[in-house]
Amino acid sequence: MKKVLEIISYLALALIVVAPSLFYAQKIDLAMNKLLMTSATVVWFATAIFWMGREKKEG
């Protein structure tokens, strides 16, 4: 499960980079850019919480 959440969060981060690039290339409009970036940010925060963090100490 941790690996799946990790992959989803990395895909969301990639979308945060791709969306403005598509807007700059005039492939999407500003409203779509805002929607994609907001959605990707929410997904990243929702998934990264579960796998990022401190390593558990042994002993």
Side-chain angles (χ1 to χ4, degrees):
M1 184 67 173
K2 180 180 174 182
K3 200 55 131 171
V4 172
L5 292 173
E6 204 171 330
I7 291 168
I8 292 171
S9 64
Y10 283 132
L11 289 173
L13 282 178
L15 184 58
I16 291 173
V17 174
V18 170
S21 301
L22 291 173
F23 175 70
Y24 181 74
Q26 298 178 350
K27 301 292 182 188
I28 59 174
D29 62 345
L30 182 60
M32 181 58 75
N33 183 35
K34 288 180 180 180
L35 177 68
L36 290 174
M37 291 189 68
T38 303
S39 302
T41 302
V42 169
V43 168
W44 186 82
F45 275 109
T47 57
I49 265 178
F50 296 107
W51 67 267
M52 283 185 130
R54 291 181 257 181
E55 297 293 324
K56 294 183 180 182
K57 293 182 182 179
E58 293 181 23

mmCIF file of all heavy atoms in Angstrom, residues 2 5-6 9 41-54:
data_model
loop_
_atom_site.group_PDB
_atom_site.id
_atom_site.type_symbol
_atom_site.label_atom_id
_atom_site.label_comp_id
_atom_site.label_asym_id
_atom_site.label_seq_id
_atom_site.Cartn_x
_atom_site.Cartn_y
_atom_site.Cartn_z
ATOM 1 N N LYS A 2 1.948 1.216 0.761
ATOM 2 C CA LYS A 2 2.841 2.367 0.835
ATOM 3 C C LYS A 2 3.428 2.684 -0.535
ATOM 4 O O LYS A 2 3.527 3.849 -0.920
ATOM 5 C CB LYS A 2 3.954 2.091 1.849
ATOM 6 C CG LYS A 2 4.931 3.214 1.994
ATOM 7 C CD LYS A 2 6.004 2.881 3.010
ATOM 8 C CE LYS A 2 7.064 3.947 3.039
ATOM 9 N NZ LYS A 2 8.135 3.640 3.959
ATOM 10 N N LEU A 5 0.797 4.470 -2.783
ATOM 11 C CA LEU A 5 0.656 5.871 -2.408
ATOM 12 C C LEU A 5 1.852 6.694 -2.863
ATOM 13 O O LEU A 5 1.707 7.849 -3.285
ATOM 14 C CB LEU A 5 0.477 5.993 -0.896
ATOM 15 C CG LEU A 5 -0.832 5.447 -0.339
ATOM 16 C CD1 LEU A 5 -0.808 5.466 1.179
ATOM 17 C CD2 LEU A 5 -2.016 6.233 -0.867
ATOM 18 N N GLU A 6 3.029 6.101 -2.795
ATOM 19 C CA GLU A 6 4.238 6.777 -3.239
ATOM 20 C C GLU A 6 4.175 7.069 -4.740
ATOM 21 O O GLU A 6 4.491 8.179 -5.181
ATOM 22 C CB GLU A 6 5.442 5.882 -2.925
ATOM 23 C CG GLU A 6 6.733 6.615 -2.800
ATOM 24 C CD GLU A 6 7.834 5.700 -2.276
ATOM 25 O OE1 GLU A 6 7.557 4.756 -1.517
ATOM 26 O OE2 GLU A 6 8.985 5.941 -2.659
ATOM 27 N N SER A 9 1.625 9.859 -5.452
ATOM 28 C CA SER A 9 2.115 11.189 -5.082
ATOM 29 C C SER A 9 3.170 11.695 -6.059
ATOM 30 O O SER A 9 3.199 12.887 -6.383
ATOM 31 C CB SER A 9 2.647 11.202 -3.649
ATOM 32 O OG SER A 9 3.764 10.367 -3.511
ATOM 33 N N THR A 41 -2.161 19.123 -6.345
ATOM 34 C CA THR A 41 -1.674 19.507 -5.018
ATOM 35 C C THR A 41 -2.446 18.791 -3.920
ATOM 36 O O THR A 41 -1.853 18.276 -2.960
ATOM 37 C CB THR A 41 -1.785 21.036 -4.837
ATOM 38 O OG1 THR A 41 -1.034 21.684 -5.863
ATOM 39 C CG2 THR A 41 -1.271 21.467 -3.479
ATOM 40 N N VAL A 42 -3.755 18.737 -4.060
ATOM 41 C CA VAL A 42 -4.590 18.046 -3.057
ATOM 42 C C VAL A 42 -4.243 16.559 -3.021
ATOM 43 O O VAL A 42 -4.096 15.971 -1.944
ATOM 44 C CB VAL A 42 -6.090 18.270 -3.359
ATOM 45 C CG1 VAL A 42 -6.959 17.351 -2.521
ATOM 46 C CG2 VAL A 42 -6.461 19.717 -3.147
ATOM 47 N N VAL A 43 -4.085 15.939 -4.196
ATOM 48 C CA VAL A 43 -3.739 14.512 -4.250
ATOM 49 C C VAL A 43 -2.377 14.281 -3.613
ATOM 50 O O VAL A 43 -2.183 13.325 -2.857
ATOM 51 C CB VAL A 43 -3.773 13.997 -5.705
ATOM 52 C CG1 VAL A 43 -3.143 12.620 -5.814
ATOM 53 C CG2 VAL A 43 -5.195 13.974 -6.221
ATOM 54 N N TRP A 44 -1.411 15.155 -3.894
ATOM 55 C CA TRP A 44 -0.078 14.974 -3.325
ATOM 56 C C TRP A 44 -0.130 15.043 -1.803
ATOM 57 O O TRP A 44 0.422 14.183 -1.112
ATOM 58 C CB TRP A 44 0.906 16.008 -3.868
ATOM 59 C CG TRP A 44 2.285 15.728 -3.386
ATOM 60 C CD1 TRP A 44 3.165 14.844 -3.907
ATOM 61 C CD2 TRP A 44 2.918 16.303 -2.238
ATOM 62 N NE1 TRP A 44 4.319 14.830 -3.161
ATOM 63 C CE2 TRP A 44 4.194 15.713 -2.131
ATOM 64 C CE3 TRP A 44 2.541 17.245 -1.300
ATOM 65 C CZ2 TRP A 44 5.080 16.051 -1.124
ATOM 66 C CZ3 TRP A 44 3.423 17.583 -0.294
ATOM 67 C CH2 TRP A 44 4.674 16.980 -0.216
ATOM 68 N N PHE A 45 -0.796 16.061 -1.262
ATOM 69 C CA PHE A 45 -0.878 16.173 0.191
ATOM 70 C C PHE A 45 -1.646 15.006 0.804
ATOM 71 O O PHE A 45 -1.316 14.540 1.895
ATOM 72 C CB PHE A 45 -1.523 17.497 0.603
ATOM 73 C CG PHE A 45 -0.543 18.644 0.674
ATOM 74 C CD1 PHE A 45 -0.582 19.647 -0.267
ATOM 75 C CD2 PHE A 45 0.417 18.703 1.658
ATOM 76 C CE1 PHE A 45 0.317 20.703 -0.215
ATOM 77 C CE2 PHE A 45 1.325 19.741 1.732
ATOM 78 C CZ PHE A 45 1.274 20.754 0.780
ATOM 79 N N ALA A 46 -2.664 14.533 0.122
ATOM 80 C CA ALA A 46 -3.466 13.430 0.650
ATOM 81 C C ALA A 46 -2.707 12.105 0.644
ATOM 82 O O ALA A 46 -2.959 11.242 1.484
ATOM 83 C CB ALA A 46 -4.752 13.292 -0.160
ATOM 84 N N THR A 47 -1.782 11.931 -0.278
ATOM 85 C CA THR A 47 -1.067 10.658 -0.361
ATOM 86 C C THR A 47 0.301 10.695 0.326
ATOM 87 O O THR A 47 0.713 9.707 0.925
ATOM 88 C CB THR A 47 -0.879 10.224 -1.818
ATOM 89 O OG1 THR A 47 -0.195 11.247 -2.537
ATOM 90 C CG2 THR A 47 -2.208 9.943 -2.477
ATOM 91 N N ALA A 48 0.985 11.818 0.259
ATOM 92 C CA ALA A 48 2.338 11.895 0.821
ATOM 93 C C ALA A 48 2.340 11.788 2.337
ATOM 94 O O ALA A 48 3.318 11.335 2.932
ATOM 95 C CB ALA A 48 3.020 13.179 0.376
ATOM 96 N N ILE A 49 1.253 12.174 2.961
ATOM 97 C CA ILE A 49 1.142 12.106 4.417
ATOM 98 C C ILE A 49 1.372 10.689 4.934
ATOM 99 O O ILE A 49 1.925 10.488 5.999
ATOM 100 C CB ILE A 49 -0.250 12.624 4.825
ATOM 101 C CG1 ILE A 49 -0.181 14.060 5.187
ATOM 102 C CG2 ILE A 49 -0.882 11.824 5.890
ATOM 103 C CD1 ILE A 49 -1.517 14.667 5.545
ATOM 104 N N PHE A 50 0.947 9.701 4.158
ATOM 105 C CA PHE A 50 0.990 8.323 4.636
ATOM 106 C C PHE A 50 2.321 7.619 4.420
ATOM 107 O O PHE A 50 2.584 6.610 5.054
ATOM 108 C CB PHE A 50 -0.137 7.526 3.962
ATOM 109 C CG PHE A 50 -1.489 8.025 4.333
ATOM 110 C CD1 PHE A 50 -2.251 8.729 3.414
ATOM 111 C CD2 PHE A 50 -1.999 7.829 5.594
ATOM 112 C CE1 PHE A 50 -3.499 9.208 3.748
ATOM 113 C CE2 PHE A 50 -3.252 8.303 5.947
ATOM 114 C CZ PHE A 50 -4.003 9.000 5.019
ATOM 115 N N TRP A 51 3.162 8.121 3.532
ATOM 116 C CA TRP A 51 4.417 7.416 3.319
ATOM 117 C C TRP A 51 5.643 8.245 3.643
ATOM 118 O O TRP A 51 6.720 7.699 3.863
ATOM 119 C CB TRP A 51 4.503 6.867 1.898
ATOM 120 C CG TRP A 51 4.593 7.905 0.812
ATOM 121 C CD1 TRP A 51 3.576 8.446 0.119
ATOM 122 C CD2 TRP A 51 5.781 8.504 0.295
ATOM 123 N NE1 TRP A 51 4.031 9.353 -0.784
ATOM 124 C CE2 TRP A 51 5.391 9.398 -0.701
ATOM 125 C CE3 TRP A 51 7.142 8.366 0.583
ATOM 126 C CZ2 TRP A 51 6.309 10.166 -1.416
ATOM 127 C CZ3 TRP A 51 8.045 9.131 -0.139
ATOM 128 C CH2 TRP A 51 7.631 10.011 -1.118
ATOM 129 N N MET A 52 5.523 9.560 3.707
ATOM 130 C CA MET A 52 6.672 10.390 4.076
ATOM 131 C C MET A 52 6.722 10.519 5.591
ATOM 132 O O MET A 52 5.696 10.568 6.250
ATOM 133 C CB MET A 52 6.569 11.788 3.471
ATOM 134 C CG MET A 52 6.909 11.869 2.038
ATOM 135 S SD MET A 52 6.879 13.574 1.517
ATOM 136 C CE MET A 52 8.440 13.664 0.718
ATOM 137 N N GLY A 53 7.902 10.588 6.103
ATOM 138 C CA GLY A 53 8.007 10.770 7.548
ATOM 139 C C GLY A 53 9.307 10.208 8.067
ATOM 140 O O GLY A 53 10.202 9.823 7.323
ATOM 141 N N ARG A 54 9.370 10.182 9.344
ATOM 142 C CA ARG A 54 10.574 9.676 9.989
ATOM 143 C C ARG A 54 10.609 8.160 9.957
ATOM 144 O O ARG A 54 9.571 7.499 10.042
ATOM 145 C CB ARG A 54 10.615 10.138 11.435
ATOM 146 C CG ARG A 54 10.846 11.623 11.548
ATOM 147 C CD ARG A 54 10.889 11.995 12.972
ATOM 148 N NE ARG A 54 9.580 12.600 13.248
ATOM 149 C CZ ARG A 54 9.218 13.091 14.405
ATOM 150 N NH1 ARG A 54 10.014 13.024 15.422
ATOM 151 N NH2 ARG A 54 8.032 13.627 14.558
#
